[in-house]
């Protein structure tokens, strides 16, 4: 009986790249979702940190990909009080 065993994959060797690509896609999708949870907009525990967006520092990068932007030299547009 054929199924997803090593013996059946040896007879249908062309399916191995399919399983590798689908497994890699699932891995990258999981890694991306886990990376999104580290954002300041996501709050998993409202009792400890109800307003996580207030913890962002002035020179902290919050974008997924910043093109030609040096966040260390940016200054905030609001005045210091």
């Amino acid at each position: 009986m054929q199924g997803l065993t090593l013996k059946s994959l040896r007879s249908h060797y062309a399916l191995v790249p399919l399983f590798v690509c689908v497994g890699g896609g699932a891995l990258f999708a999981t890694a991306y979702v886990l990376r999104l949870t580290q954002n300041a907009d996501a709050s998993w525990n409202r009792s400890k940190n109800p307003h996580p967006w207030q913890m962002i520092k002035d020179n902290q990068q919050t974008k997924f990909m910043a093109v030609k932007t040096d966040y260390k030299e940016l200054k905030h547009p609001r005045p210091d009080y």
Side-chain angles (χ1 to χ4, degrees), residues 25-65:
L27 180 70
F28 283 122
T30 304
Y32 179 68
V33 169
L34 289 176
R35 187 191 185 287
L36 285 178
T37 62
Q38 304 302 318
N39 192 359
D41 293 333
S43 179
W44 293 91
N45 190 357
R46 291 261 185 206
S47 62
K48 281 187 175 179
N49 192 5
H51 307 291
W53 51 88
Q54 293 178 349
M55 302 297 287
I56 298 174
K57 296 175 181 59
D58 290 334
N59 298 333
Q60 183 178 356
Q61 177 184 353
T62 58
K63 294 183 178 181
F64 180 71
M65 184 175 74

